[in-house]
Amino acid sequence: MLLSTQNFQQDSQLKTAVLQLPGEEIKLPIVSGTEGEQAIDITSLRDETGYITLDPGYSNTGACESKITFIDGKNGVLRYRGYPIEELAEHSTFVETAWLLIYGELPTEAQRARFRELLTEQELLHEGMRHHFEGFPPHGHPMAMLSAMINACACYHPELLDTDLDPDRFLTAVAILMSKVRTIAAFSYKMSLGHRVEYPDPALSYCRNFLHMMFSKPHSRYEPTLQVVKALSRFLILHADHEQNCSTSTVRMVGSSGANVFASVASGVCALWGPSHGGANMAVIEMLEKIHKGGENPKSIVEKVKAKKFRLMGFGHRVYKNFDPRAKILEKTAAGLLSTLGVADPLLDIAAELASIALTDEYFLERKLYPNVDFYSGIILRAIGIPVNMFTVMFSIGRIPGWIAHWYELYHDPDRRISRPRQVYTGPTRRKYVPVENRS
Ligand code: ACO
């Protein structure tokens, strides 16, 4: 029998929920978060009753308590460590936001300077690691290269794999991960083009350095405009964490076994790869290309959506049902970027028209279907010149601090237990082995 939420009775004074099961009743404590979220603590359920809960996709299951990120999907709220995403996107930098997520406080001037120094120190790849790229086929997927290379980092830093990582060594691991993913990503792009890799330039800031490694050529140095640098920095800040999503939960699950931060973060990259997660921003551009090549106009696409014959990539959201605060910020960023770059791109025209229909059409308004963060991030990345197959890599670079922050929180959790969900078995019951000659 499945447990039904109707069987729960909440007694708000006692802060317990009562679960009635056939022939028995159990009281379960109610746990409250600092923003008033409530959860029923079922830790003792199986031991006391033999029952487990069934929640495919875990949409009703809290796997942990966390102090890192707060989301209120109904009201379009996203805060990192209590700071509204709008303020961070406006005033902070990616490096500073990363520190905030990992350590819980905005860095002091000295901490920020030290962190920048460490990021610069770690920007180069060991020559041995650089040679790894030669083993990949030139058109290998950059996400496969990224996860493999993050794991390879662990081979070059055995001193950072201990289970008792002191604060200094942890900070070194943070700097290695954050700094080298940028170099790895840019090198994999250059290799795919068959071009010589561009080494990082220690004089450049985090985002400028990445853009330099991506787009500079031996005889022409790429100088991004301030608008491009800001758009990239905002993109990274907005992707830096989103609480217990698929990839972050994966990082926590891998980390729960005591696996080191490199292995755990590499697993996050793999989880992010799927089109239902980090792959959605790529799907947006692929969809726009299909619409463009098919010679269709946005109005006819909208009719297809209404007839349930077309799903618009980059629209709708499972958690944000009124608006996605990240999409609002990126919408403005995309508009500013496109006008200063003066980009003429038919795909971007289609995107703008689809968005404007969605924001006024009754069908979309009723269903709260509006462009999400992936819709605008796809547009921004395309305008900057990032190739579509690297969009998810860009998301990974942004999400690294969030994955590290969750790994670190778990690492310090005195109640940490290895993740080990249960199941309801629905396969065949006990059968008798049949020798091959007797099988029909
Ligand atoms: N295009 C067209 N119609 C849609 C879309 C869409 N993208 N999303 C939802 N709808 C419609 C559904 O057909 C449904 O209509 P109905 O009530 O007439 O049957 C209604 O809106 C509600 O849809 P649900 O599927 O219940 O919405 P849900 O919350 O389950 O789905 C999801 C959310 C998965 C994100 C969905 O909107 C979707 O597939 N979007 C496209 C993929 C995408 O952009 N993903 C990235 C999300 S953001 C992120 O992960 C960072």
Side-chain angles (χ1 to χ4, degrees), residues 280 305 308 311-312 314-318 321 367 369 372 374:
V305 170
K308 308 277 179 215
R311 183 154 280 248
L312 279 174
F315 278 70
H317 199 278
R318 177 58 54 81
K321 289 300 177 194
R367 287 166 182 75
L369 268 180
N372 60 39
D374 289 313

